[in-house]
Amino acid sequence: MFTKIMKIVMGCTLLLSSFAQASFQLETMTVILDAGEPRKVFSVKNTGKEPILLSTKVSDIAGSTVQAQDIMVSPPITRIEPEQSQQINFVLKKGVNVTDETLLKVSFQGVGAVQTNATKMPIRQDVAMLIMPAGMSVTQTPWNALEAKQQGNTLVLTNTGKQVIRLTPNFVGLPDNQPYSLGQFYLRPGEVKKIEVKSPLKEIQISPLSRYGFKMKDDVNIKVAS
């Protein structure tokens, strides 16, 4: 019995050792690009013990304006040595007019660059990208522009501001403390979301996120107009 168990353990160990994973650390969990600046320089560090090949790609968010094609990434693919960092440049193409803050997605994918018998296991991290209009005055409380109205059994949430509102998907209807879900972590400028509710609401309690995607210390109550 002991011998059988040892064979299973050794087999699992050999299986795990046949995989090689890349590991890297991003400068922040959000890339913020100011349309008024020539470029955004973003740092990625290889925290593993072998070189990695890192690929970077910008994508549009479903339902948003097509904007990813206007962002140039340099270099799109690069080799990073162990414990070294690489600067990735994000550049907005000339002539592109940004009137409201735009939300996109940046995907970083790393895979070991050394030729071995091990199976390469790519590691991918997806983070948000915010493109700010040139000269925009940034507020740290963009949720103040969140408008809430109730129409019968429908709650209508509208971002009336020029910045993206980042928040957790779940919120609470008051005064009955009924939980609801927005279904996403953001409201883009001008975006409208409709949620079916079970009773008349006076307020909703949301959990806002910072511009870099971190949960704020305090929840915020938003009054609901009827």
Side-chain angles (χ1 to χ4, degrees):
M1 182 67 178
F2 177 76
T3 303
K4 185 177 181 180
I5 294 175
M6 287 302 297
K7 286 182 178 180
I8 294 174
V9 172
M10 291 177 65
C12 291
T13 302
L14 290 172
L15 180 63
L16 290 172
S17 63
S18 67
F19 290 91
Q21 284 192 334
S23 58
F24 55 89
Q25 180 179 341
L26 305 180
E27 178 182 326
T28 63
M29 295 308 293
T30 300
V31 180
I32 299 180
L33 173 61
D34 187 337
E37 299 293 332
R39 70 185 66 242
K40 168 65 180 179
V41 179
F42 191 86
S43 179
V44 181
K45 182 178 181 180
N46 178 1
T47 56
K49 296 181 179 179
E50 68 169 71
I52 64 171
L53 290 177
L54 181 79
S55 62
T56 306
K57 181 181 179 181
V58 179
S59 304
D60 293 304
I61 301 292
S64 65
T65 303
V66 176
Q67 189 94 63
Q69 63 186 15
D70 297 326
I71 308 298
M72 296 182 292
V73 180
S74 177
I77 301 176
T78 186
R79 178 186 172 110
I80 311 179
E81 299 298 326
E83 298 302 320
Q84 298 298 309
S85 296
Q86 171 68 47
Q87 291 185 339
I88 308 297
N89 296 284
F90 297 93
V91 180
L92 182 67
K93 293 180 180 178
K94 291 184 178 181
V96 176
N97 184 30
V98 180
T99 57
D100 294 329
E101 193 168 63
T102 305
L103 178 67
L104 301 111
K105 179 179 72 174
V106 184
S107 299
F108 298 91
Q109 182 166 296
V111 64
V114 176
Q115 295 295 328
T116 67
N117 293 326
T119 302
K120 300 298 184 181
M121 296 293 291
I123 298 296
R124 174 171 167 165
Q125 292 190 49
D126 293 337
V127 301
M129 167 179 266
L130 297 176
I131 305 178
M132 297 167 44
M136 184 181 76
S137 179
V138 175
T139 173
Q140 299 304 315
T141 57
W143 50 87
N144 288 339
L146 177 58
E147 181 183 86
K149 291 183 178 181
Q150 186 168 356
Q151 300 171 350
N153 291 327
T154 302
L155 177 69
V156 182
L157 301 180
T158 306
N159 180 358
T160 64
K162 298 181 73 65
Q163 285 182 226
V164 174
I165 299 174
R166 306 186 72 178
L167 70 169
T168 61
N170 299 324
F171 65 94
V172 176
L174 300 173
D176 61 356
N177 289 311
Q178 182 71 33
Y180 296 101
S181 178
L182 183 66
Q184 59 191 48
F185 286 86
Y186 55 84
L187 276 172
R188 292 160 290 199
E191 186 170 9
V192 178
K193 293 289 288 186
K194 296 182 178 181
I195 301 102
E196 293 301 308
V197 296
K198 298 179 179 180
S199 62
L201 303 179
K202 292 184 178 179
E203 293 180 313
I204 59 171
Q205 186 177 77
I206 66 170
S207 298
L209 304 177
S210 71
R211 285 179 64 73
Y212 286 93
F214 298 106
K215 189 177 182 300
M216 304 295 286
K217 180 180 178 181
D218 298 319
D219 291 337
V220 174
N221 287 11
I222 306 292
K223 290 186 177 181
V224 177
S226 57

